[in-house]
């Protein structure tokens, strides 16, 4: 059973709320009919947002040549359409990729129900919108009430215009809805004045569609649908707050579906009932022995019906049962169903006499459940009768031989006279033929036996005349026996087949999983998976792994398959979204291949592709379950192998890191200890033995040891950056502190330079590693001290900008040679063209950049005009700033 | 008052020698130890007033010695520049202060003076602390700048008073947070930043130098 339990709201609702956090919001402008001004309203609303500073672009807006609307679009950036090639009409569709790349805050997408040109990524525009929402982009869209899936039938019933383009209700369930409403009379006025663009489907029934009554009904539907959305939202809210008990007295709706063509109508009706009751609902298919034998078309229809239910927001379930009524009763009791929707059975009067109608038995079988019986439309397909074995020509021959043998044996045993027991002997070929070769052979045997019995044993002998009417009964009995036995045998054989195929699938899976546990490398595993899929489903199979944003083909059965551009695009989409795409799915159907993801808790770890040489869909609907099992097992196995490999890598890396850390620590210790001694010794000497003559020597000793100290520090820092071994310790840091600390530490190196501090004390705190930032600042100040002449000012300034904080260190030195601004931060680049030899290794600025970028800061260098000098800037993006008011309130509490 | 005795614990003979020179010239008596074991026996025999402890010892982790020395002598740890975590751990364990290697003699002597002063002061706690133009009266809970009252919020006062009880000595973020906000806020360093910022502004132009930040470690008053 695969039902989603509708009665446990809290975790699911929370998950949904959590899932929606990163998602864009959809706002739908809902109209009763074309011409009410949805697009105009949408543009006006968007313009208001734009004025608030929201980044709005137009994805698709149809102005239908209306001047006011046209004028409104001009204030927005309009994304170029994508030109779809290969279609007869040149259709320009919305370019999702361009929008995703542009990443606006809000995009306007007119006509949500639009069907995209063939060859587009998704068949339907609302799927495009889904993808935009998933990328966190808000969407405004428009839709007319007759395009809403669950209202489609209702609208069609009174307007007699059925639109094929529908939008699933779930789109509206999660959206904000604004009804664009004008009174019907006004709309009719506008229509007469030619202000309404009339789409094709409405044009055909123009007079009728735009009648006053219709418009009123449509308007009511639109308003009701919007009100319902508000209710649903409130309900969602209640559920999120786990107040499950408060909703709608625990009504639960169940709709029974089968493969009948009318089943979708039942599903829509159930959805309306459930919405009215504000109840969760489930579409249930009871799988009986009879429904297991459905032909392929019926199975496809059934799957489509269940998919429709899911699309409309219902739960779906399939349960096995001896018969439909038992299944429904069991499920209803278990799921505490209060309302059942069933279609009126279209079985023959005879069938109902014999077995009683499903409805009758259902009403009798369930207590306390309201049963809604809906008349179902014409064209309902009867479930196919049990299909007997196909009789081959050789079977007739065998039957003939058997009858001949029986006749011969009887002739020998009894001689040519009438013996009553001879007719019994003819049961042997009839039963044998019916059992082994099916109904036709059985009947053939029956007829043949009857003829032979009549000819050889019934008086008058050797004629086909039957003298005694009693003997006619014998002939009839032989025929009836043939019919009954062949039916029974066919049924038994079918069950045996079913069991065998189930057992075979299980055996295949078991063998497969055994095979997978033995595999230890990814290529080997990929090969096994492809081989298994190719064998089980009789397809060509490939497997691809995502690697650095690309897909790498790692196995193909048969080998050497090349994928085309369309197929690769589909495969990439699957890798991105973790959902199937390609031929036979509902996305990127133009591809020849069907792609399924291998999903695990870590996301999509591989993509499996399938194709068939004969151009049919790679996967039959009934094979989906088996494929899912195979993919699940494959995903587990691949996950296991990858995790093992990663763990080995991690262990290796950790070991390497440990060695590196040890080396760094020991180098650091070995270099610093003698330095400390030298510094201390120099200080000692200066204190005890300084004379005017040797003071310059002490100064040199001093400054050179300082240089060596900085050099050692820089070398170690660089080693840490390049090893990627920076352990960040991010804390909120006061830039005034950071600057003061750095200035304190470089006070000797910059003794010749007046330092001007322009760091406002009220800047927000920033989240950085103070230690690393200290090094950045020291290197920048060091650099200024190195290149600027003594006596010139070094300025440290910080300013709040709209998108963060900029901190600059500016000197009055020669500036940067033109063209080196971008390269200045590269390792070992030292500025040439100065007549003085500069101290240093050229590591300083590389360290600034390495550390800054590790903390999420960016750096830039430029040359100032007046007074001339180099200007180094560090940007702290908005995201790193700490919002002080909140912290301050807490700090002072 | 006789000269204070200082125990220098370092495994590098060169450093011990130089530190001895510096300290002797400044008038202190110096005892040396090259291992943790030697340090412990020197602590018992020579009863130093202050221990200068390098945390990188060959026979034992320097941090383990801190609780053993604490209370018997003032303790200044010596540690490398970027080993902030080690410094904080040492201070939280009870070390009085730290110097960063490679250190210069002036700084070392200043720290030693502060350390020794505290050792004496802790026996008779001062009630009024004066740092530059600021006077902090710990008994009356009043802060004055050039005889003008400075109005502080309770948190700002607690912070300043905590620093004032140990003038010149570093207090770790955690020590300050515990004093002002209780142990639940050990890691909320941003609280300190906010308080320090407004405190500095209230203390006037010298605010920045009066309350000095020790990068990644803590704060010190009038360092």
């Amino acid at each position: 059973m695969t039902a989603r339990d509708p009665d446990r709201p809290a975790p699911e609702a929370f998950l949904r709320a959590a899932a929606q956090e990163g998602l864009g919001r959809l706002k739908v402008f809902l109209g009763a009919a074309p011409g009410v001004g949805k697009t105009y309203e949408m543009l006006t609303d968007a313009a208001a947002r734009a004025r608030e500073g929201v980044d709005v672009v137009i994805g698709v807006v149809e102005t239908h040549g209306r001047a006011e609307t046209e004028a409104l679009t001009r204030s927005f950036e309009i994304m170029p359409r994508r030109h779809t090639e290969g279609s007869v009409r040149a259709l320009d569709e919305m370019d999702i990729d361009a929008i995703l790349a542009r990443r606006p805050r809000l995009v306007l997408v007119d006509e949500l129900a639009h069907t995209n040109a063939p060859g587009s990524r998704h068949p339907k525009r609302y799927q495009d919108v889904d993808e935009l929402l998933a990328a966190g982009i808000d969407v405004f869209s428009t839709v007319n009430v007759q395009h809403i899936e669950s209202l489609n039938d209702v609208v069609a019933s009174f307007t007699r215009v059925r639109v094929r383009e529908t939008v699933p209700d779930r789109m509206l369930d999660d959206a904000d809805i604004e009804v664009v409403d004008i009174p019907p009379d006004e709309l009719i006025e506008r229509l007469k004045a030619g202000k309404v663009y009339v789409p094709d489907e409405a044009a055909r029934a123009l007079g009728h569609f735009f009648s006053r009554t219709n418009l009123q009904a449509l308007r009511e539907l639109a308003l009701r649908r919007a009100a319902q959305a508000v209710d649903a939202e409130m309900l969602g809210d209640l559920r999120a707050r786990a107040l499950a008990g408060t909703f709608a007295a625990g009504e639960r709706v169940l709709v029974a579906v089968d493969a009948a063509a009318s089943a979708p109508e039942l599903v829509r009706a159930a959805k309306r009932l459930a919405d009215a009751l504000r109840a969760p609902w489930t579409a249930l298919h009871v799988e009986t022995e009879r429904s297991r034998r459905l032909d392929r078309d019926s199975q496809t229809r059934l799957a489509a019906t269940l998919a429709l239910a899911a699309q409309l927001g219902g739960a779906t379930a399939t349960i096995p049962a001896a018969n439909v009524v038992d299944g429904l009763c069991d499920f209803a009791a278990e799921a505490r169903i209060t309302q059942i929707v069933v279609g009126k059975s279209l079985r023959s009067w005879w069938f109902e006499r014999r077995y009683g109608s499903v409805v009758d038995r259902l009403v009798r079988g369930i207590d306390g459940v309201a049963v809604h019986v809906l008349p179902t439309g014409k064209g309902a397909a009867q479930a196919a009768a049990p299909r007997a074995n196909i009789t081959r020509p050789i079977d007739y021959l065998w039957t003939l031989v058997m009858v001949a043998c029986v006749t011969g044996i009887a002739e020998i045993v009894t001689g040519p006279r009438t013996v009553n027991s001879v007719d019994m002997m003819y049961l042997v070929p009839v039963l044998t033929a019916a059992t082994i070769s099916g109904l036709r052979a059985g009947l053939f045997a029956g007829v043949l036996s009857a003829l032979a019995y009549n000819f050889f044993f019934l008086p008058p002998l050797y004629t086909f005349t039957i003298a005694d009417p009693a003997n006619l009964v014998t002939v009839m009995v032989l025929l009836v026996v043939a019919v009954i036995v062949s039916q029974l045998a066919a049924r038994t054989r079918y069950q045996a087949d079913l069991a065998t195929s189930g057992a075979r699938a299980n055996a295949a899976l078991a063998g497969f999983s055994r095979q997978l546990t033995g595999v230890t490398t990814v290529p080997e595993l990929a090969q096994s998976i492809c081989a298994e899929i190719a064998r089980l489903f009789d397809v060509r199979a490939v497997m691809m792994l995502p690697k650095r944003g690309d897909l790498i083909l790692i196995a193909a059965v048969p080998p050497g398959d090349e994928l085309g551009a369309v197929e690769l695009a589909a495969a990439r989409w699957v890798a991105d979204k973790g959902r199937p795409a390609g031929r036979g799915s509902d996305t990127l159907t133009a591809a020849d291949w069907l792609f399924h993801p291998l999903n695990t808790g870590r996301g999509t770890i591989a993509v499996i592709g399938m194709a068939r040489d004969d151009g049919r869909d790679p996967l039959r609907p009934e094979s989906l379950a088996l494929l899912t099992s195979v993919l699940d097992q494959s995903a587990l196995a691949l996950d296991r192998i990858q995790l093992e490999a990663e763990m080995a890598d991690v262990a290796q890396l950790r070991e390497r890191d440990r060695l590196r850390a040890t080396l760094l620590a020991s180098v650091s210790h070995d270099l610093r200890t003698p330095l400390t001694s030298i510094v201390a010794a120099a200080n000692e000497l200066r204190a005890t033995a300084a004379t005017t003559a040797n003071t310059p020597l002490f100064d040199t000793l001093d400054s050179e040891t300082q240089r060596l100290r900085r050099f050692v520090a820089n070398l170690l820092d660089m080693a840490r950056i390049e090893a990627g071994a920076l352990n960040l310790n991010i804390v909120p840091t006061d830039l005034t502190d950071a600057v003061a600390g750095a200035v304190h530490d470089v006070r000797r190196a910059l003794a010749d330079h007046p330092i001007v501090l322009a760091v406002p004390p009220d800047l927000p705190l920033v989240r950085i590693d103070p230690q690393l930032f200290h090094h950045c600042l020291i290197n920048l100040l060091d650099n200024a001290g190195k290149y600027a002449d003594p006596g010139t000012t070094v300025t440290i300034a910080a300013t709040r900008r709209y998108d963060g904080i900029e901190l600059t260190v500016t000197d009055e030195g020669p500036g940067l040679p033109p063209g080196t601004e971008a390269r200045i931060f590269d390792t070992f680049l030292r500025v040439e063209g100065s007549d003085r030899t500069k101290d240093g290794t050229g590591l300083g600025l590389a360290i600034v950049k390495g550390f800054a970028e590790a903390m999420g800061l960016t750096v830039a260098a430029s040359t100032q005009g007046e007074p001339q000098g180099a200007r180094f800037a560090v940007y702290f993006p908005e995201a790193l700033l700490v919002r002080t008011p909140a912290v301050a309130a807490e700090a002072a509490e | 008052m006789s000269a204070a005795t200082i125990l220098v614990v370092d495994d590098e003979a060169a450093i011990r020698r130089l530190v001895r020179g510096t300290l002797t010239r400044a008038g202190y008596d110096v005892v040396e130890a090259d291992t943790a074991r030697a340090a412990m026996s020197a602590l018992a025999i020579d009863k130093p007033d202050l221990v200068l402890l390098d945390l990188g010892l060959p026979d034992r982790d320097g941090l383990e010695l801190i609780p053993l020395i604490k209370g018997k002598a003032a303790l200044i740890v010596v540690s490398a520049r970027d080993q902030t975590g080690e410094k904080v751990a040492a201070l939280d364990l009870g070390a009085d202060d730290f110097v960063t290697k490679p250190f210069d003699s002036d700084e070392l002597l200043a720290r030693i003076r502060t350390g020794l002063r505290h050792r004496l002061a802790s026996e008779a706690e001062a009630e009024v602390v004066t740092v530059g133009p600021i006077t902090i009266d710990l008994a009356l809970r009043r802060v004055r700048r050039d005889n003008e009252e400075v109005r502080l919020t309770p948190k700002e006062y607690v912070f300043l008073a905590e620093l004032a009880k140990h003038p010149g000595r570093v207090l770790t973020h955690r020590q300050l947070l515990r004093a002002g906000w209780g142990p639940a806020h050990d890691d909320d360093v941003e609280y300190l930043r906010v308080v320090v910022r407004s405190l500095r502004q209230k203390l006037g132009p010298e605010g920045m130098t009066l309350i000095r930040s020790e990068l990644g470690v803590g704060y010190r008053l009038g360092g």
Side-chain angles (χ1 to χ4, degrees):
Chain A
M1 196 172 105
T2 54
R4 290 189 281 135
D5 186 350
D7 193 32
R8 213 175 297 137
E12 204 195 2
F14 276 131
L15 282 179
R16 197 180 308 149
Q20 272 175 357
E21 226 134 78
L23 297 182
R25 278 299 283 174
L26 173 66
K27 179 168 182 178
V28 171
F29 295 81
L30 180 67
V36 296
K38 298 179 299 296
T39 306
Y40 187 86
E41 186 63 33
M42 172 172 81
L43 288 166
T44 320
D45 198 344
R49 295 280 182 102
R51 277 194 298 279
E52 288 165 15
V54 176
D55 180 19
V56 187
V57 303
I58 290 184
V60 164
V61 164
E62 306 293 348
T63 58
H64 303 305
R66 264 169 281 179
E68 313 115 302
T69 317
E70 186 90 50
L72 270 177
T73 60
R74 271 185 230 120
S75 57
F76 298 102
E77 176 182 345
I78 301 180
M79 298 300 294
R81 307 272 187 98
R82 201 172 62 88
H83 201 73
T84 315
E85 282 163 31
S87 60
V88 186
R89 286 182 297 156
L91 290 168
D92 287 342
E93 296 297 350
M94 178 167 73
D95 190 343
I96 320 184
D97 289 322
I99 297 174
L100 288 175
R102 163 74 175 71
R103 287 208 69 83
R105 187 75 203 84
L106 172 65
V107 61
L108 309 185
V109 181
D110 215 355
E111 295 295 342
L112 189 59
H114 174 79
T115 299
N116 285 334
S120 302
R121 171 164 350 171
H122 302 289
K124 296 288 190 179
R125 185 173 286 165
Y126 70 77
Q127 293 171 313
D128 294 347
V129 168
D130 259 347
E131 196 167 337
L132 293 174
L133 293 172
I137 299 173
D138 289 345
V139 177
F140 278 7
S141 191
T142 64
V143 75
N144 281 329
V145 72
Q146 77 261 36
H147 292 289
I148 296 173
E149 179 79 55
S150 69
L151 298 176
N152 190 270
D153 293 333
V154 181
V155 174
S157 71
F158 64 79
T159 60
R160 281 180 245 139
V161 178
R162 183 182 279 275
V163 289
R164 283 183 308 279
E165 303 187 322
T166 58
V167 176
D169 287 55
R170 63 168 174 84
M171 296 293 296
L172 276 76
D173 289 344
D174 295 339
D176 300 325
I177 297 183
E178 181 176 331
V179 176
V180 183
D181 186 36
I182 59 171
D185 291 334
E186 197 177 312
L187 178 58
I188 293 170
E189 276 309 304
R190 292 186 60 181
L191 185 69
K192 283 183 186 151
K195 284 182 179 168
V196 175
Y197 166 80
V198 180
D200 294 349
E201 66 264 27
R204 267 186 267 116
L206 184 64
H208 182 71
F209 190 86
F210 282 95
S211 76
R212 208 160 170 283
T213 7
N214 275 355
L215 288 177
Q216 252 158 4
L218 285 168
R219 187 180 175 208
E220 194 193 321
L221 271 180
L223 290 170
R224 220 198 290 162
R225 186 62 184 80
Q228 194 185 316
V230 173
D231 278 3
E233 209 167 283
M234 194 190 71
L235 213 62
D237 237 36
L238 285 176
R239 286 193 204 183
R241 282 189 236 129
L243 298 173
T246 59
F247 73 95
E251 292 281 5
R252 277 173 206 84
V253 177
L254 179 70
V255 55
V257 298
D258 57 9
S262 58
E265 271 178 53
L266 286 182
V267 168
R268 292 196 185 95
K271 152 82 175 159
R272 285 195 297 276
L273 175 67
D275 283 354
L277 292 170
R278 292 191 214 147
W281 62 286
T282 305
L284 175 73
H285 170 62
V286 180
E287 195 181 57
T288 58
E289 184 214 318
R290 172 184 271 272
S291 69
R292 256 177 244 133
R293 293 192 304 256
L294 293 175
D295 58 36
R296 221 182 120 188
D297 288 348
S298 307
Q299 280 186 1
T300 315
R301 255 199 322 270
L302 178 62
T305 305
L306 289 174
L308 172 73
Q311 206 173 38
L312 289 174
T316 62
T318 301
I319 57 165
N323 62 61
V324 176
V325 175
D326 288 355
L328 284 176
C329 293
D330 289 350
F331 188 88
E334 199 177 304
R336 278 162 296 142
I337 297 296
T338 59
Q339 312 265 345
I340 292 188
V341 178
V342 292
K344 185 168 165 12
S345 168
L346 288 177
R347 293 223 177 83
S348 64
W349 173 88
W350 185 82
F351 185 92
E352 292 206 349
R353 276 315 93 193
R354 188 159 155 239
Y355 294 109
S357 84
V358 167
V359 173
D360 286 349
R361 285 187 294 152
L362 193 59
V363 171
R364 273 198 296 274
I366 302 185
D367 280 335
V369 177
V371 179
H372 303 254
V373 183
L374 299 187
T376 45
K378 55 249 155 239
Q382 269 283 21
R387 214 184 311 154
N389 262 24
I390 294 145
T391 313
R392 294 160 301 169
I394 185 87
D395 296 330
Y396 293 110
L397 190 69
W398 274 113
T399 310
L400 191 68
V401 170
M402 277 192 294
V403 174
C405 287
V406 168
T407 310
I409 292 166
E411 196 72 25
I412 293 162
V413 171
T414 64
R417 60 205 147 84
T418 312
V419 175
N420 276 338
S421 56
V422 165
D423 52 2
M424 295 296 285
M425 290 181 69
Y426 279 103
L427 280 178
V428 175
V430 171
L431 286 176
T432 313
T435 314
I436 294 174
S437 311
L439 179 63
R440 280 157 194 266
L443 285 177
F444 180 65
V447 172
L448 215 58
S449 304
L451 291 176
Y453 179 54
N454 183 5
F455 192 77
F456 290 106
F457 299 103
L458 288 185
L461 288 185
Y462 310 117
T463 69
F464 287 109
T465 324
I466 298 173
D468 184 353
N471 288 330
L472 195 63
V473 175
T474 311
V475 173
M476 294 297 291
V477 165
L478 280 175
L479 289 176
V480 170
V481 164
V483 172
I484 293 175
V485 167
S486 65
Q487 286 271 14
L488 277 175
R491 189 168 294 189
T492 317
R493 190 165 337 97
Y494 185 82
Q495 274 166 345
D497 282 356
L498 208 64
T500 320
S501 78
R504 209 177 295 140
N506 282 339
L509 278 177
F512 182 48
S513 69
R514 235 190 342 271
Q515 192 186 340
L516 291 186
T517 48
V519 177
T520 51
T521 68
V522 173
E524 215 183 319
L525 175 77
Q527 197 62 32
S528 307
I529 293 172
C530 286
E532 186 70 10
I533 287 176
R535 188 178 70 77
L536 279 176
F537 304 102
D538 188 24
V539 289
R540 289 187 285 151
V542 296
M543 179 159 157
M544 286 169 284
L545 291 187
K547 205 165 240 172
R548 284 183 219 100
D550 207 3
L551 280 176
I552 315 271
L553 186 83
I554 59 161
V557 173
D561 254 324
E562 285 283 321
L563 294 180
V566 182
E567 281 72 28
L568 276 177
R572 279 204 195 97
W573 194 88
V574 172
D576 280 356
K577 308 285 166 189
R579 292 206 304 272
R583 179 139 193 189
S585 68
D586 59 2
T587 303
L588 293 164
T589 48
D592 284 337
W593 288 66
L594 170 67
F595 295 95
H596 272 262
L598 290 190
N599 287 331
T600 67
R602 299 187 292 149
T604 302
I605 54 172
V607 175
I608 301 276
M610 281 171 285
R612 207 180 270 276
D613 290 324
D614 56 13
R616 282 187 290 135
D617 279 2
L619 191 70
R620 290 197 308 266
E622 69 268 24
S623 305
L624 187 63
L626 182 59
L627 177 69
T628 310
S629 313
V630 170
L631 292 182
D632 284 351
Q633 288 203 356
S634 306
L636 278 178
L638 181 60
D639 202 25
R640 172 179 61 82
I641 289 179
Q642 285 185 341
L643 282 177
E644 275 168 12
E646 270 166 34
M647 261 150 75
D649 282 356
V650 165
Q652 214 177 346
L653 266 180
R654 201 173 287 154
E655 179 60 16
R656 217 183 298 156
D657 276 355
R658 202 186 59 76
L659 281 175
R660 188 182 294 131
T662 315
L663 191 68
L664 280 178
S666 83
V667 167
S668 138
H669 186 252
D670 289 355
L671 287 173
R672 276 179 192 156
T673 309
L675 256 180
T676 309
S677 309
I678 294 169
V679 171
N683 283 339
E684 264 316 289
L685 262 185
R686 191 200 280 271
T688 55
T691 62
T692 33
N694 64 13
T695 297
L697 286 179
F698 282 122
D699 289 348
T700 309
L701 196 56
D702 226 25
S703 69
E704 290 304 293
T705 44
Q706 290 292 346
R707 256 184 70 200
L708 196 55
R709 207 193 260 196
R710 296 249 7 100
F711 174 58
V712 168
N714 276 349
L715 257 188
L716 289 168
D717 287 345
M718 203 61 224
R720 280 164 70 202
I721 292 174
E722 291 192 337
L726 291 179
N727 289 323
L728 293 183
N729 174 29
I730 304 285
V731 289
T733 305
D734 193 335
L735 285 179
T736 48
D737 266 351
V739 171
V743 170
H744 177 82
D745 276 17
V746 294
R747 60 192 186 279
R748 295 228 175 112
L750 282 134
D752 297 337
H753 297 271
I755 297 178
V756 174
L757 291 182
V759 183
D762 57 345
L763 284 177
L765 303 179
V766 289
R767 285 185 200 284
I768 50 173
D769 182 325
Q771 203 72 44
L772 291 193
F773 186 64
H774 184 71
H775 290 253
C776 287
L777 274 177
I778 285 184
N779 274 306
L780 286 177
L781 292 172
D782 223 29
N783 184 72
K786 235 184 284 176
Y787 286 97
D789 290 327
T792 56
T793 308
V794 174
T795 309
I796 306 172
T799 40
R800 180 81 169 95
R801 305 195 321 173
Y802 73 99
D803 61 348
I805 293 177
E806 181 187 56
L807 185 135
T808 56
V809 176
T810 314
D811 64 38
E812 291 173 4
L816 310 172
T820 59
E821 287 87 350
R823 289 188 296 126
I824 192 88
F825 291 105
D826 292 352
T827 315
F828 298 121
L829 183 90
R830 291 180 62 193
V831 174
E832 311 287 334
S834 158
D835 56 348
R836 286 185 304 153
T837 350
K838 298 299 175 194
D839 315 328
T841 54
L843 276 178
L845 291 178
I847 288 165
V848 171
K849 184 177 156 119
F851 279 3
E853 287 179 352
M855 292 184 285
L857 316 178
T858 46
V859 289
S862 58
T863 299
Q864 290 244 105
E866 201 53 46
Q868 207 196 3
R871 178 179 188 272
F872 292 91
V874 182
Y875 301 101
F876 301 82
E878 192 73 33
L880 293 181
L881 308 192
V882 180
R883 278 183 300 134
T884 321
V887 179
E890 256 179 276
E893 88 196 1
Chain B
M1 192 178 101
S2 70
T5 304
I6 295 175
L7 169 61
V8 179
V9 188
D10 198 307
D11 58 330
E12 293 283 330
I15 301 228
R16 287 204 306 275
R17 213 164 45 233
L18 286 163
V19 172
R20 173 187 276 277
T22 309
L23 296 183
T24 314
R25 203 157 33 79
Y28 298 108
D29 288 340
V30 177
V31 186
E32 291 177 30
D34 59 348
T35 60
R37 179 190 288 269
M40 291 325 289
S41 60
L43 187 69
I45 295 162
D46 298 301
K47 304 215 180 330
D49 300 290
L50 185 142
V51 179
L52 196 61
L53 174 68
D54 188 312
L55 290 175
L57 290 178
D59 57 340
R60 216 168 153 183
D61 186 346
L63 288 178
E64 289 177 27
L65 297 185
I66 294 172
L68 305 176
I69 299 170
K70 193 182 162 187
K72 295 181 184 145
L75 174 60
I76 295 176
V77 295
V78 179
S79 144
R81 177 179 61 103
D82 44 10
Q83 278 158 350
T84 318
E86 199 176 68
K87 288 175 200 161
V88 172
L91 292 169
D92 281 339
L93 278 171
D96 293 289
D97 214 326
F98 67 90
V99 283
T100 298
K101 219 170 171 179
F103 44 78
D104 66 39
S105 349
D106 294 346
E107 192 178 334
L108 178 65
L109 290 173
R111 292 274 185 280
I112 287 175
R113 274 196 300 277
T114 309
L116 287 170
R117 190 169 63 231
H118 285 154
R119 176 139 178 84
L120 302 173
S122 63
E123 283 147 24
E125 208 162 286
E127 294 205 332
V128 179
V129 179
T130 305
V131 192
I134 309 293
T135 312
I136 303 146
D137 189 327
L138 293 170
L140 297 174
R141 301 172 66 86
R142 195 177 286 164
V143 179
R144 288 170 172 277
R145 181 194 154 82
D146 299 332
N147 282 329
E148 201 160 311
E149 172 120 24
V150 182
R151 298 213 157 270
L152 299 180
T153 67
K155 293 290 180 207
E156 287 163 0
Y157 176 77
V158 168
F159 181 93
L160 187 61
E162 201 61 25
L163 286 179
K165 285 176 195 161
H166 317 273
R169 201 183 118 185
V170 69
L171 291 182
T172 64
H173 295 141
R174 176 173 302 194
Q175 287 165 346
L176 289 164
L177 280 165
R178 289 232 165 144
W181 287 266
H185 293 281
D186 275 3
D187 297 321
D188 295 328
V189 183
E190 57 257 55
Y191 290 5
L192 294 180
R193 308 263 184 252
V194 172
V195 168
V196 167
R197 166 173 293 186
S198 65
L199 197 50
R200 277 177 181 159
Q201 282 170 12
K202 287 184 184 176
L203 293 180
E206 294 87 359
M208 197 67 215
T209 45
L210 277 176
I211 301 173
R212 277 197 33 212
S213 168
E214 288 289 348
L215 202 57
V217 178
Y219 291 92
R220 155 194 324 273
L221 186 66

